[in-house]
Amino acid sequence: MKKLLTLSLFAGIALAGCRTPKSDTSSTLSFKQADSSRTKAITKIAFGSCSDQKRPQPLWDDIVAQKPDVWVWLGDNIYGDSESMDTLRAKYAIQKSNPVYQQLRQLTPIIGVWDDHDYGVNDGGKEYPKRKESQQLMLDFLDVPSTSPLRQQEGGYSVHTYGPKGQRVKVILLDARYFRDPLKKENKVNVPDPSGDMLGEAQWKWLEQQLTKSDADVHIIGSGVQVLPEEHVYEKWANFPTARKRLLDLIAKTKPKGALFISGDRHMAEVSKVSVPGLGYDLFDITSSGLTHVSAPHVEANQYRVGDMVTKLNYGLITINWAAKPITATVRINGDEQATYLTQQISF
């Protein structure tokens, strides 16, 4: 059944994706289109996460049919879970050889970041011993040229800017694995660790630079794990509450236009919303997961959830109307056979 969720924001936000020629993580097609990245506005972006290369992948034809301007991977792009780079490489090859995904690669720029299973270890952080080698395989999967600065950078974070002034979208993809402190557990259950960090100081500095006095009209901040939810016991920014507060405080301090989080990981989809003092508009976290498998229907607390939780195969789709005054966007959580499970109308 299609569920409708309609919201109107005082200072709106939208999803979109793009690339900058010298610091991008994207497909070969994206790099060929580098010269047009700041001259042509994008209107449609698709995103998703959690794609097990061994399972059926029924959503790619639906995604291709939408003709998105960009596709954003939000992690668990394969289920690698190994310290063997040969194993990870072989699993990436299986995912990349999917014939319908190949169609998407030919038609649409691809950008993305990893989560734990493609990083190489379940729930892993900076303690994973093969993180440097694994990063190169992720960049290979995303067709990042060997000459890209990302090949020398520690961590898979990246920024992608698209569109002319007045229609400019900046996609900021955070690496919540490479520098993340180990999880704190009690009786094998994750518990908050106020002393732990998610990003590392180099990435924090870079993020502040991307947000400070940015000329983008929309800022999409992608994270492999959820940013806003706090109650569930799985991976999330709230496992490191000081880092989560630092992130929200940074957004309040820099006040970028139209900031929005997108996330994956959870094998379900939902919309979360908080009010950040000093920001001037509500801040959303749109979670889309997974492309090949989801959790069984269940009840899960989330004080910030808006609407229902979706436990069907899904991907996210954003359509921006730049001609509208104010700018508007339609955010959808879609599924197989062009199904739509959530729809959110947003005004900027």
Side-chain angles (χ1 to χ4, degrees), residues 41-84:
I42 64 170
T43 60
K44 190 180 289 188
I45 179 173
F47 64 95
S49 65
C50 301
S51 181
D52 188 334
Q53 71 283 349
K54 302 186 304 296
R55 297 174 184 253
Q57 301 188 17
L59 298 187
W60 291 122
D61 59 340
D62 297 270
I63 296 167
V64 169
Q66 295 290 348
K67 299 181 180 180
D69 293 302
V70 66
W71 167 261
V72 181
W73 283 106
L74 287 174
D76 294 340
N77 309 327
I78 60 166
Y79 279 69
D81 299 296
S82 177
E83 292 184 10
S84 166

Side-chain angles (χ1 to χ4, degrees), residues 311-336:
T311 54
K312 298 180 181 180
L313 298 183
N314 67 86
Y315 65 95
L317 183 70
I318 312 305
T319 304
I320 302 173
N321 184 352
W322 293 108
K325 303 297 181 184
I327 297 168
T328 63
T330 302
V331 181
R332 294 185 176 91
I333 298 297
N334 283 352
D336 198 13

Side-chain angles (χ1 to χ4, degrees), residues 204-225:
W204 279 115
K205 181 179 179 180
W206 169 85
L207 177 59
E208 184 166 3
Q209 291 171 345
Q210 297 305 320
L211 295 174
T212 300
K213 297 181 180 179
S214 171
D215 65 355
D217 301 280
V218 176
H219 294 78
I220 311 307
I221 305 172
S223 168
V225 298

Side-chain angles (χ1 to χ4, degrees), residues 16 28 57 98-99 103 137 171 185 209 272-273 313 322-323 331:
T28 302
Q57 301 188 17
N98 179 284
Q103 292 180 34
L137 296 186
V171 179
K185 295 180 181 288
Q209 291 171 345
S272 303
K273 179 184 75 171
L313 298 183
W322 293 108
V331 181

Side-chain angles (χ1 to χ4, degrees), residues 5 15 18 20 60 68 73 97 101 104 114 127 131 150 211 216 224 226 273 313-314 318:
L5 173 62
L15 292 179
C18 50
T20 51
W60 291 122
W73 283 106
S97 67
Y101 177 63
L104 183 69
W114 54 18
E127 71 278 7
R131 58 182 184 166
L150 287 183
L211 295 174
Q226 290 183 304
K273 179 184 75 171
L313 298 183
N314 67 86
I318 312 305

Side-chain angles (χ1 to χ4, degrees), residues 80-279:
D81 299 296
S82 177
E83 292 184 10
S84 166
M85 296 303 102
D86 288 341
T87 297
L88 293 183
R89 187 179 294 107
K91 291 181 177 181
Y92 272 125
I94 293 171
Q95 175 62 71
K96 205 168 185 177
S97 67
N98 179 284
V100 192
Y101 177 63
Q102 286 185 348
Q103 292 180 34
L104 183 69
R105 291 179 61 232
Q106 292 298 316
L107 297 171
T108 304
I110 308 289
I111 62 176
V113 72
W114 54 18
D115 196 34
D116 54 342
H117 293 289
D118 41 350
Y119 182 59
V121 59
N122 184 43
D123 292 354
K126 66 182 183 182
E127 71 278 7
Y128 177 58
K130 297 293 185 178
R131 58 182 184 166
K132 291 185 178 181
E133 295 88 343
S134 181
Q135 179 179 328
Q136 296 304 312
L137 296 186
M138 177 186 70
L139 299 179
D140 290 344
F141 174 68
L142 295 168
D143 296 311
V144 175
S146 60
T147 56
S148 169
L150 287 183
R151 295 288 184 171
Q152 305 302 319
Q153 173 184 285
E154 285 198 73
Y157 55 93
S158 60
V159 62
H160 314 263
T161 304
Y162 227 111
K165 187 174 181 180
Q167 297 179 320
R168 186 159 293 162
V169 178
K170 180 180 282 190
V171 179
I172 300 169
L173 299 179
L174 302 178
D175 186 339
R177 293 293 163 189
Y178 198 96
F179 303 101
R180 199 214 68 197
D181 286 324
L183 294 169
K184 182 179 180 181
K185 295 180 181 288
E186 293 180 1
N187 298 320
K188 299 183 179 181
V189 176
N190 296 327
V191 296
D193 180 5
S195 66
D197 190 25
M198 290 286 283
L199 300 184
E201 287 306 314
Q203 189 173 184
W204 279 115
K205 181 179 179 180
W206 169 85
L207 177 59
E208 184 166 3
Q209 291 171 345
Q210 297 305 320
L211 295 174
T212 300
K213 297 181 180 179
S214 171
D215 65 355
D217 301 280
V218 176
H219 294 78
I220 311 307
I221 305 172
S223 168
V225 298
Q226 290 183 304
V227 177
L228 297 185
E230 294 182 294
E231 287 95 329
H232 68 74
V233 299
Y234 307 105
E235 287 208 89
K236 56 189 181 297
W237 272 75
N239 290 337
F240 301 94
T242 303
R244 180 181 180 275
K245 183 178 185 300
R246 182 177 179 178
L247 179 60
L248 299 183
D249 287 348
L250 179 60
I251 292 174
K253 172 187 172 183
T254 56
K255 294 180 172 58
K257 296 179 183 177
L260 173 71
F261 296 114
I262 56 175
S263 59
D265 178 59
R266 291 299 325 287
H267 301 174
M268 56 83 158
E270 66 178 349
V271 175
S272 303
K273 179 184 75 171
V274 298
S275 295
V276 177
L279 183 58

